Amino acid sequence: MLPGRGHNGRGVRKGRVSQVLGIRTAWTAVADGEFFCPGCGGDRNYQRLTGRRRLTLVGVPLLARGETGPVVECAACRHHYGTDVLDHPTTTRFSAMLRDAVHTVALAVLAAGGTCSRTSLETAAATVRSAGFDDCTGDGLSALVDALAADTGRVCGEPGGASLAIELHEALDPLAPHLAPTGRESILLQGARIALADGPYTPAERDVLATVGAALTICSDDVTRLLAAARTPS
Ligand SMILES: [Zn+2]
């Protein structure tokens, strides 16, 4: 329980003993935004507050007792939390991260495959659509893969370059700590199925999927196991 008893100092004013002598915390809002409230379990507005504690006599502030906080106050349930609560993404942000992750993995696998077959493109587009990009098409992905190849100056068919690995880490690193193991495996498996759409894994596809696994903090033994499992039709 945090000191200060909430934003309105109710505990200080109503308590019998503390009517004479107490500590009152005056909270000042220093920032606001949206966060995932663990108390009421959803995306809520918050205010980030710093407090100034004062010794009070009969409710009259006397001595400054120093700064307290900062704390995060939920606009809905009014509970106070430590600022580490802001490390957790909102539900909206989390969905967007997940969608971007699948999109990036799909592109990376397609780019590693070189000249993209229609089957690979359609499999990838269906995967990306089910991740939340409703208007993703095979042609759209094909254009993005071409742009990626032109951008990095690589000839289509060469193994994925360092820029792809960076893109994968940017999309997956922030997401991994918030996913359950099955969620992380599911992203890798979706990439594996795109790679398998036009035949067995190529060495470049294996490289990309290994990078995906590493960024998702899946150990290499598990990556090997999952890539083998993806080959077996379920
Ligand atoms: Zn709340």
Side-chain angles (χ1 to χ4, degrees):
M1 188 67 199
L2 287 153
R5 309 177 160 226
H7 73 300
N8 57 4
R10 182 175 56 220
V12 173
R13 280 199 287 272
K14 297 259 169 77
R16 277 204 184 90
V17 174
S18 55
Q19 257 180 351
V20 182
L21 195 63
I23 287 179
R24 178 163 18 190
T25 305
W27 295 105
T28 313
V30 287
D32 57 26
E34 206 177 46
F35 81 131
F36 181 85
C37 177
C40 49
D43 294 353
R44 307 282 184 254
N45 291 319
Y46 73 83
Q47 282 197 314
R48 191 183 162 116
L49 309 169
T50 55
R52 195 171 281 280
R53 305 170 74 193
R54 280 185 179 280
L55 195 64
T56 58
L57 183 64
V58 209
V60 179
L62 294 178
L63 294 168
R65 301 288 295 192
E67 305 263 324
T68 183
V71 298
V72 170
E73 183 187 83
C74 174
C77 70
R78 298 282 175 191
H79 272 102
H80 284 187
Y81 304 96
T83 49
D84 55 345
V85 79
L86 300 181
D87 297 342
H88 196 289
T90 61
T91 309
T92 310
R93 172 88 194 105
F94 182 74
S95 314
M97 286 163 83
L98 205 53
R99 213 167 50 209
D100 288 348
V102 172
H103 188 246
T104 307
V105 168
L107 273 183
V109 171
L110 288 176
T115 42
C116 305
S117 73
R118 189 39 55 181
T119 330
S120 306
L121 287 170
E122 289 312 325
T123 305
T127 305
V128 173
R129 277 196 302 271
S130 58
F133 284 117
D134 297 337
D135 49 0
C136 179
T137 62
D139 288 339
L141 286 177
S142 177
L144 283 172
V145 170
D146 289 348
L148 202 63
D151 190 40
T152 52
R154 287 181 296 112
V155 180
C156 208
E158 281 194 349
S163 68
L164 260 180
I166 293 168
E167 294 248 358
L168 284 171
H169 278 285
E170 278 178 355
L172 300 175
D173 289 357
L175 180 66
H178 304 293
L179 283 174
T182 48
R184 296 198 294 266
E185 291 183 358
S186 154
I187 293 178
L188 179 66
L189 284 171
Q190 291 179 62
R193 293 200 185 101
I194 295 169
L196 289 168
D198 62 349
Y201 302 115
T202 64
E205 285 170 343
R206 278 191 179 276
D207 281 353
V208 163
L209 291 167
T211 305
V212 170
L216 288 167
T217 66
I218 303 173
C219 75
S220 56
D221 285 352
D222 283 347
V223 170
T224 309
R225 178 178 59 80
L226 289 162
L227 294 193
R231 265 195 311 216
T232 324
S234 50

